[in-house]
Structure formats: C-alpha cells, structure tokens
Amino acid sequence: GGAGGWLAPSFRRGGGCWGLNRPSVSAGGSASGRPPEPVVGGAAFGPEELRMSKTKNIDIQSPSCVLCGRTDDCPEKYGEKRTYVEYNLTVHYYCLLMSSGIWQRGEEDEGVDGFLIMDIRKEVNRAAKLKCNICKKKGASIGCVDPKCKRSYHFPCGIQKECIFQFMEDFRSYCWEHKPVQKLPDQESRGTSQCTICLDLVEQLPTYTVLKSPCCKNTWFHRECLQYQALSAGIFFFRCTVCNNKDKFQKEMLRMGIHIPEKDASWELEENAYQDLLQCYQHCDIKRCLCKKGRDYNEPDSKWEIKRCQCCGSRGTHLACSSLKSWEQNWECMECRSIFAKSGNYSKQKKRSLATSEKTDGTMCLLEEPSPKCPRQSCGSQRNFLLQSPKIMCQNSLSPCSHLELPACNRVTMSLSPLMSDRNWSQRKKHLRRQRMEVSNVLKELKLQVNTKTTRLNINTENIWNSALKGFRQRNFSPTNTIEIKFTNCKNRSKTNNSAASKHRFFQLLMLHLQNSSLFEGSSAKNLSLDFQAVKENLYFEAGKMIAVSLVHGGPSPGFFSKTLFNCLVYGPENVKPALEDVADVDVAQTIKMIKYANSLSSLQSTIHECYEFLAAAGCLRPITALCDKNMLVNDILIHHVIKRIISPLESFRQGLKTLGVLEKMQMHPEAFFTVLCHKPERLSAETICDLFTIHSSPDVNKVEGADFWMGYLQDVESGESVVTLEDILLFATGSFSIPPIGFDPEPTIKFLHIRYPVGNRLLNCLELPITQTYEQFKKKMEFTIRNTLRVEKE
C-alpha cells in the first residue's frame, strides 16, 4: 500500500459489506469522544484463525479494535463493534470496511461477513508499520485516495479531523485536504436557515458539519442529523425531507460521506408497529358532547354513532353533537378545517389559491362609467389646496409646484386624529414625502444593475400567476435584464405591448394576486401563511423575488405587509413580538382570547384543560400557578403560531427578497421601506399631480395661461366637479394606476401645443395639452378625450 497505506481501488470489492449490500446486517455512523491511546496488534491469532467458517458473536467488556486500537462501542460513529472469541478478534465495522489494504474475497458466511480472517491478519500487520498523521500512533490502516497524497490515519482519527469516507462503490476515503466539498453559487446569498430535521438554526455555509440539499434551494441540514436519519430510514426510505427526492439526494449524501445502510427502515422492523392502525377511533371530540353515556359511547345506526373526520380519521363526533342528519354526511375536525381554510380549499373561505387562474381586470374601477347625474369624487383630498390663484402661484416658476405646502388629508398611510392641527399634518406629510423620496433614491441606485439586454415575458392576464412563474423560471431570465411584457390574450397588442404601461400593469396584477393568494393570511395587513405545497414548490422564494423585481423595475409595491412580517424580514424573527391581530385563524384567536381575558385562576386552568391538545401540539404547555402566568402563555402561543410555525416559508421569502439587493436596503432604511411595503400608495391629490408633472411648452405659447387652465382643472377634478378622476389622468398620461415607489422614468412632463385634443404619450410619460381660448373648452376636451380613451382600452 506504500508509505501512505493506499491501495488502488481496483483491488477492492464493492459489495457484500455489513448493512450496505447485505440487507441481513445493519450498521451506522455518528460521533463520540476521543478514546485512549491505540494499542496495535493487541489481539493474538491462533492456527484456527485460518478456518473459513461463520463465527459466533460474544459480548466481551471493553476489548479494543485490532485496527484502530480503541475500545469505544459506538455503532453510530464507528459502526458495529464485533468480538470473535474463536479468533481472539475485535473489530469496528467501519474500520474494517474503510481499510485500504483489504477487500471482501469470501462469501457472506465466510470469515467476518466475507472478509477472510487471513486477510484481516495481513491488514493488521500492514497497518502496524504505518504512523497516523493525526495522532502520530502506529496502526493507520486508511489512506487518502488522492494519488499524490501519502497521508494515513485511523478511522476515528479521520472522523475527528473531518475526513470524508464514502460508503459506496470502492469505499474511498479522503483526507482533510483533498475531501470533496459542496459549492455555494456566487449569486446565492448566505445567512441562516432552519435544519428541517432538528428545526434548529443552521448557517448557510457548506462545511463538514453542514450539508446542503442538492434538490431543494435554501434547504440545509446538520451532518449529524442526516446521518441519524439515514441509519433510521435505510436506503429505501432515506430522502429529502422537503421534496422527497430520493435518487439525487442519496447520490449527493453518499458523496459527502453519509452512510446509508441497505436495510429496511427502523420503524418497519418494530414488532406490532402498526397495530394501532387496526383499531378504529371511537371518541367524541366536540367541545360540548350531548351524549349522556359519555364521549366513548358508540351506537351504530343511531344519532349516537361516532363519525370520524373524513381527512385524518383521528378525531370523531357523535352525529347528534355535530347536527349530522346521517352517517353519509362528510365531517372534518377543527384541525383539518383550519388547514383547508389556510390552503384556500375550504368552502367557507373565499381566498383564491395560487394554483387557480385569476381573472382580474387591470383597469379595475378607474375605468368604470360614472353616472351622468353624479360626477365621481376623486380619491384624493377633499380640501382645496389651490387657495390662491393658479396664475399667481406659477408666475415665478412653471416647474412642478413643489413650494405648495398646504395640507392634503385622507392619506392611507396614517389615520389622523380629529384634533391634529393642519400644521402637524403638514409636518407629517413632509416626513412621508421625505421617506418616499428616500425609497425612490435607493431603488434608483439598485436599478443601476439593470442592463439593456431584454427578457420578454409572455403573460396571460387571466392566468397571471402561472404565466409569471413560468417567465421567472425560464432559463434566460435574469433580474438584471430589462423586462418586456407581451400580453398573449390582448387584442390591441401594438399599443399595449410596447410601452412601460404594460409592464406596470403586469406587476400591478401580480401584486394583487399575491395579496389574495394562499401564501399570505390576514385581512388587510398580512403575514405569511403555512402552505406545505408552496414550500415544496419553493413558491415563497419566487414570491419574494417577484416583489423585489417589481420594486426595482418600476412596478408597484405590495403594500399589504403587516408590521410583524416587515419586522421579521428586517430585524429577524427572534427579535419580533407578535400581537393578537397577527393571528388570522379564528379558532386560534378565540383560544388566545379565552386565555388572555381569563379573570380567575380556576377559569384559566379550565380553559387550558379544554385547549390541552392544541397547546401540546404547539409546544406551549407550561405550569400555571398564578393568574399572571397567562401572559407568558399567550406570548408563547403567539410566537409559535405567527413566527415559529412559518419559519421555513419566512426564510425562503427572505431569500427571494434578497434579489437585486432589496432586502439589504430594507434593513439599511427600515423606516422608509415601511411606508411602501406596509401601506398602499398615498391617494392622489391635485397637489400630488401638480408636483409630479413638469410643464414645458414652445416659445409661442402662453405658459402661464396654460398652467392656469391645467391647475384649475385639477382643482375641479379633486373636488368632484368632473366625470374623470385624478387616477384617470395619471393612467391616461403614464399607463400607471399609481405612482410607483421608484418614480417614473422618464419623469412626467406637460406640453402645451396647438392641437385639437389632449394626447397621452406613455412612452415618454408626456401629457400633451391643447391651447384653448376658454377654460370651459379646455375642460370639455380633457374630459371627452380621457373618458373615451380609457373606455376603449377597457373594452
């Protein structure tokens, strides 16, 4: 084997080893402490050792392994430790299996499961001449398979030094320098996630103790957890805990040194393991059981017959207790009903799921025909910001009226107290403007990453989610490419597919779909929900990625994040304390309220007794000795239900938001991003539109008079004296329903020209207005053009 104790793999036999290709014997591998100094050659061999026969296994206290010299009996780490009295031989299975100078030459019933006693003796003698490069003791029987490496070591020393032993094919071993490693793509950001086996946090960095799933993005494991699971599940049941992939997952884990024994799962080998499945559940779990003979009473073909949950079968009810008229009626327990409600499949829930197509008209109510007798009120402020003459206000400057600082109320970003003064609101409004401007500047900085290479997405508005998901997952899609939207179900393609308006409409529909999808739960302020199918399909990551791309590429913000969800994303879930308002499940919220508002210790204990199963499943059971203990209990339930329960979707969602560096900027500017992620865009006002558009005109046009008519018209629209709204004006000019967080590119402008009717040039975000003799003519032409243009687009 040379100085390093290495033999060519062709000298090894790849089959017939304990627990690997011999299903009759099992073995394992994990961790233990450092044993005493190795003793090499401590076992003597008699002449009978050459006899090729099956041997007896007798337990002898603390004999040492003839290969590593250690007395440890740790099957999970070193494999099964066997002692053969006939040969005065004790050996660890892994030490024998991984030794470089021995291979299996006999049949299964010969020697030590095919390893001949003569060969074991020769291997011990060979290893006695080699010094371990780790502990510096003799008896190093394992060598690195790298041709240029001469390192030798004992199997336990190799484990301690984080060497890799591959329990497959020719059973290769790699030293700490030449061992295979998992690589993390450069574009994949690092952080912490949850080991899906032990549920403890694990750093997303491929090391010896941490392994990454090859089939699921953002799925990480502790090596020790994986090894224990492999030993328990065996080769037939060991698979990825998230997507259940078996072939790709096992191949990668074997490469990284996880031993997968060829045996049946441990739970399959237990005697009478499935005996309980032969018994039918017969117990009434309804809170108020009406049966006088008890909850366990069951009388077939009567109203006291017990009906089991049609989904899980582990809960039951008397027909009379749930007002069931016959046994044929379906019945679901509270737990299953809650799961259906969250997934969007329960009949009482009208939430749409991600899998279904959504028929959402992008124009929404903005394009509806108003009543001719009742002109529509604009969503903006009802207060008149144009208290002065528009002509006087714009004599000195014809750029956007940024110097106007009179209050505009009714913002959705903050509910005002009736006692709040105009001065306080004006200051608050200035603060919000600064925050919005800060977000806009940050997003414009991130947009510098976007190049001129174009990626086209074919979008069907009637199935917005599936077509968007397909587009984002296509091979040539990159968040740094310029996105072009082509609506495949749009009749007037020439006008809609070649402008920024189609991209804004796409992101608008996408954000609306996400808000109503099964990924989120809650009324207006939403938290992440727990959708196992979405976790399996990695949809939380895709949703976060779509939101990040929308923000940077000029789309709208989601605007529906709850404060708790936002804080979890920015500050980490461990630093967030949820509130009762974050609980969307009605039954869970009712349980928390019963505990929170219990007014005596006896009523508190009674409530806990009624909710015992729920609290046990949530891991929130705690001793209650005083009424004040309820506060800690409520806090535990909230943390479990709102945060711990969705920790895996949350981490996946965070990874998606890291696209283009959005999450990092959120963490750097939390107050600014809070205004756009947790609140809808502020409602448009005449002042907002005035500030948004910059006025330009040719030298032969009276700009002051044109500005007069323009701002007078905005005043009429805001006060409801027009058949169009401020949103209609913005849509007509830019193709957008609202002002995106990043702002418009190019910035909106107004031109006064000698034309008959106004024109909305959406490619340039330019509003071309006609020169008229009177204000009445100007207003009539504006309303006629905008109203009819939007009606045609809607149709």
Side-chain angles (χ1 to χ4, degrees):
W6 176 83
L7 287 180
S10 59
F11 286 32
R12 305 281 303 277
R13 234 182 112 176
C17 300
W18 297 340
L20 201 72
N21 292 324
R22 296 284 190 245
S24 59
V25 188
S26 63
S30 183
S32 170
R34 182 181 178 89
E37 178 178 332
V39 180
V40 180
F45 291 87
E48 59 269 35
E49 70 190 29
L50 301 180
R51 178 162 32 98
M52 308 300 181
S53 63
K54 191 170 183 179
T55 57
K56 301 178 182 178
N57 297 347
I58 301 178
D59 187 18
I60 299 179
Q61 294 296 325
S62 300
S64 60
C65 174
V66 294
L67 291 172
C68 71
R70 305 198 182 202
T71 60
D72 300 60
D73 188 4
C74 184
E76 293 80 10
K77 185 173 183 179
Y78 306 132
E80 185 179 356
K81 182 181 178 182
R82 291 188 175 186
T83 297
Y84 300 87
V85 178
E86 292 185 37
Y87 306 128
N88 192 20
L89 168 66
T90 298
V91 65
H92 289 125
Y93 166 57
Y94 290 171
C95 293
L96 179 62
L97 183 62
M98 300 307 301
S99 292
S100 300
I102 190 172
W103 63 98
Q104 189 183 33
R105 295 195 303 154
E107 298 300 328
E108 183 179 353
D109 59 348
E110 294 182 301
V112 181
D113 287 280
F115 290 95
L116 304 181
I117 302 300
M118 179 187 298
D119 294 337
I120 298 176
R121 174 178 175 275
K122 290 180 180 180
E123 180 64 5
V124 171
N125 292 334
R126 184 189 71 84
K129 304 172 185 178
L130 302 175
K131 182 183 292 187
C132 176
N133 289 82
I134 301 173
C135 70
K136 309 303 180 185
K137 303 295 182 181
K138 294 292 184 66
S141 63
I142 304 174
C144 178
V145 299
D146 189 281
K148 298 180 181 180
C149 182
K150 300 301 179 182
R151 293 190 178 97
S152 297
Y153 35 86
H154 303 100
F155 183 84
C157 295
I159 292 292
Q160 180 183 352
K161 193 66 175 177
E162 299 184 350
C163 299
I164 292 293
F165 301 95
Q166 293 181 343
F167 296 89
M168 61 177 180
E169 298 174 352
D170 49 8
F171 304 96
R172 298 186 174 197
S173 62
Y174 296 85
C175 70
W176 54 93
E177 183 177 338
H178 300 108
K179 64 184 179 182
V181 295
Q182 290 183 309
K183 294 183 179 180
L184 188 67
D186 295 336
Q187 67 271 18
E188 190 169 325
S189 53
R190 298 177 181 177
T192 57
S193 64
Q194 199 176 33
C195 173
T196 59
I197 299 177
C198 69
L199 302 183
D200 285 340
L201 292 180
V202 59
E203 186 177 1
Q204 293 179 343
L205 183 64
T207 61
Y208 178 79
T209 58
V210 176
L211 296 176
K212 184 180 185 298
S213 172
C215 45
C216 289
K217 197 171 185 179
N218 305 318
T219 301
W220 299 77
F221 308 92
H222 295 108
R223 171 182 286 271
E224 188 174 357
C225 296
L226 275 175
Q227 185 60 80
Y228 273 104
Q229 186 187 27
L231 295 176
S232 177
I235 196 170
F236 303 109
F237 293 95
F238 182 58
R239 60 193 67 199
C240 178
T241 57
V242 176
C243 70
N244 284 330
N245 181 282
K246 180 180 177 182
D247 296 335
K248 187 176 181 180
F249 186 76
Q250 286 193 8
K251 183 178 179 180
E252 175 67 5
M253 294 304 111
L254 286 170
R255 186 181 76 90
M256 296 307 300
I258 298 298
H259 177 223
I260 311 173
E262 187 174 332
K263 68 181 186 66
D264 214 340
S266 58
W267 56 85
E268 296 283 347
L269 302 176
E270 294 180 12
E271 187 176 358
N272 297 326
Y274 302 102
Q275 188 66 30
D276 292 343
L277 297 180
L278 302 178
Q279 301 177 3
C280 293
Y281 186 83
Q282 291 187 352
H283 183 80
C284 180
D285 296 289
I286 300 301
K287 184 177 292 186
R288 295 183 180 274
C289 180
L290 305 177
C291 184
K292 296 181 179 181
K293 296 185 179 181
R295 294 181 176 270
D296 295 327
Y297 179 72
N298 178 42
E299 183 181 347
D301 300 324
S302 72
K303 65 178 182 180
W304 302 120
E305 182 175 5
I306 291 181
K307 171 75 175 179
R308 290 176 293 278
C309 174
Q310 66 168 344
C311 300
C312 67
S314 60
R315 292 291 184 271
T317 176
H318 290 115
L319 298 182
C321 296
S322 293
S323 302
L324 299 178
K325 296 181 180 180
S326 67
W327 195 88
E328 285 74 18
Q329 281 187 261
N330 292 330
W331 178 80
E332 302 92 11
C333 63
M334 186 182 70
E335 290 82 357
C336 295
R337 197 178 308 161
S338 175
I339 295 173
F340 279 130
K342 292 168 188 172
S343 64
N345 295 328
Y346 189 55
S347 58
K348 293 184 180 180
Q349 295 286 340
K350 295 185 179 180
K351 180 187 285 187
R352 288 164 286 184
S353 66
L354 283 168
T356 59
S357 63
E358 186 170 340
K359 297 183 179 181
T360 306
D361 190 353
T363 56
M364 295 185 299
C365 62
L366 297 180
L367 304 182
E368 293 177 2
E369 183 67 21
S371 170
K373 296 182 180 180
C374 183
R376 286 183 295 176
Q377 180 80 14
S378 172
C379 297
S381 168
Q382 296 180 0
R383 295 192 55 172
N384 219 341
F385 87 99
L386 297 172
L387 300 181
Q388 306 178 38
S389 167
K391 184 174 182 179
I392 298 175
M393 294 171 60
C394 295
Q395 280 181 344
N396 299 326
S397 174
L398 294 175
S399 60
C401 307
S402 58
H403 60 282
L404 298 175
E405 297 177 356
L406 293 172
C409 62
N410 203 20
R411 310 281 183 174
V412 296
T413 53
M414 180 180 179
S415 58
L416 296 179
S417 168
L419 301 178
M420 179 178 287
S421 65
D422 288 348
R423 181 178 179 182
N424 290 339
W425 170 236
S426 180
Q427 293 175 352
R428 173 62 181 170
K429 182 186 64 175
K430 291 178 182 178
H431 176 71
L432 291 175
R433 281 187 175 182
R434 285 195 297 269
Q435 297 297 336
R436 302 269 180 175
M437 184 62 66
E438 182 178 353
V439 172
S440 177
N441 293 334
V442 170
L443 294 178
K444 287 178 181 178
E445 178 184 341
L446 293 178
K447 194 176 181 180
L448 296 176
Q449 307 171 72
V450 180
N451 54 49
T452 56
K453 184 178 179 180
T454 302
T455 297
R456 172 178 287 187
L457 303 182
N458 296 318
I459 301 300
N460 185 338
T461 55
E462 295 182 356
N463 196 359
I464 188 71
W465 172 254
N466 288 334
S467 55
L469 193 62
K470 182 179 179 180
F472 272 72
R473 286 178 170 177
Q474 64 185 4
R475 182 173 301 178
N476 65 337
F477 177 82
S478 172
T480 58
N481 290 350
T482 300
I483 297 177
E484 179 181 312
I485 301 299
K486 179 181 179 182
F487 290 118
T488 58
N489 59 333
C490 181
K491 297 179 181 179
N492 196 2
R493 295 180 182 179
S494 61
K495 290 186 178 181
T496 57
N497 289 343
N498 298 324
S499 68
S502 57
K503 183 165 66 174
H504 188 276
R505 184 189 177 200
F506 161 66
F507 284 121
Q508 180 86 12
L509 295 175
L510 188 57
M511 294 303 106
L512 181 63
H513 182 93
L514 285 175
Q515 180 177 357
N516 296 322
S517 72
S518 61
L519 296 181
F520 298 90
E521 62 182 13
S523 52
S524 56
K526 293 180 177 288
N527 290 303
L528 289 177
S529 64
L530 181 59
D531 188 327
F532 292 105
Q533 185 65 25
V535 172
K536 181 179 179 180
E537 297 177 8
N538 207 24
L539 297 185
Y540 289 97
F541 172 82
E542 298 293 347
K545 181 179 179 181
M546 290 174 182
I547 291 174
V549 171
S550 176
L551 291 173
V552 177
H553 283 260
S557 63
F560 56 80
F561 286 11
S562 69
K563 182 179 180 180
T564 298
L565 174 57
F566 181 83
N567 290 338
C568 286
L569 295 170
V570 173
Y571 305 110
E574 66 278 3
N575 299 316
V576 179
K577 185 177 181 180
L580 183 59
E581 293 75 21
D582 295 312
V583 180
D585 190 294
V586 177
D587 295 327
V588 176
Q590 183 63 28
T591 300
I592 297 175
K593 288 179 180 179
M594 291 171 60
I595 297 175
K596 183 177 181 179
Y597 299 113
N599 52 14
S600 66
L601 181 59
S602 59
S603 63
L604 175 61
Q605 292 175 337
S606 175
T607 301
I608 293 176
H609 179 73
E610 292 181 4
C611 309
Y612 179 86
E613 291 186 3
F614 167 76
L615 296 177
C620 298
L621 285 177
R622 58 168 56 243
I624 302 297
T625 58
L627 187 60
C628 60
D629 292 338
K630 67 180 182 179
N631 297 326
M632 291 294 294
L633 181 57
V634 167
N635 187 55
D636 288 346
I637 300 174
L638 287 174
I639 291 177
H640 164 78
H641 187 79
V642 179
I643 296 180
K644 288 185 177 180
R645 188 176 60 96
I646 54 97
I647 199 70
S648 180
L650 176 65
E651 184 55 36
S652 183
F653 190 61
R654 281 169 57 95
Q655 294 299 323
L657 281 173
K658 289 182 179 180
T659 304
L660 295 171
V662 171
L663 181 61
E664 180 183 359
K665 294 299 183 182
M666 288 171 54
Q667 294 168 340
M668 294 173 60
H669 309 274
E671 186 178 0
F673 273 90
F674 183 83
T675 61
V676 299
L677 293 177
C678 299
H679 298 289
K680 293 295 182 183
E682 59 181 342
R683 287 180 163 179
L684 296 179
S685 64
E687 181 183 8
T688 304
I689 298 296
C690 182
D691 288 346
L692 183 64
F693 287 87
T694 303
I695 300 178
H696 298 288
S697 60
S698 57
D700 60 333
V701 175
N702 187 343
K703 295 187 290 186
V704 174
E705 187 178 46
D708 242 351
F709 291 166
W710 164 244
M711 288 184 289
Y713 181 64
L714 292 181
Q715 180 181 5
D716 285 350
V717 173
E718 184 179 43
S719 60
E721 299 176 7
S722 173
V723 294
V724 301
T725 65
L726 295 173
E727 289 77 10
D728 291 344
I729 296 175
L730 183 65
L731 181 63
F732 176 77
T734 65
S736 301
F737 308 101
S738 59
I739 303 175
I742 198 174
F744 289 102
D745 184 24
E747 294 184 359
T749 57
I750 289 178
K751 290 183 179 180
F752 291 98
L753 304 173
H754 293 288
I755 54 179
R756 294 186 62 187
Y757 294 99
V759 176
N761 189 342
R762 295 177 178 178
L763 288 175
L764 302 176
N765 293 326
C766 179
L767 183 58
E768 299 175 356
L769 301 179
I771 301 297
T772 60
Q773 296 295 324
T774 64
Y775 172 73
E776 287 71 19
Q777 293 176 341
F778 179 85
K779 179 179 180 180
K780 184 177 180 179
K781 290 186 176 183
M782 290 288 290
E783 293 183 346
F784 174 81
T785 305
I786 295 176
R787 183 179 175 185
N788 285 280
T789 300
L790 298 184
R791 184 193 298 117
V792 171
E793 288 185 356
K794 179 181 180 181
E795 293 174 352

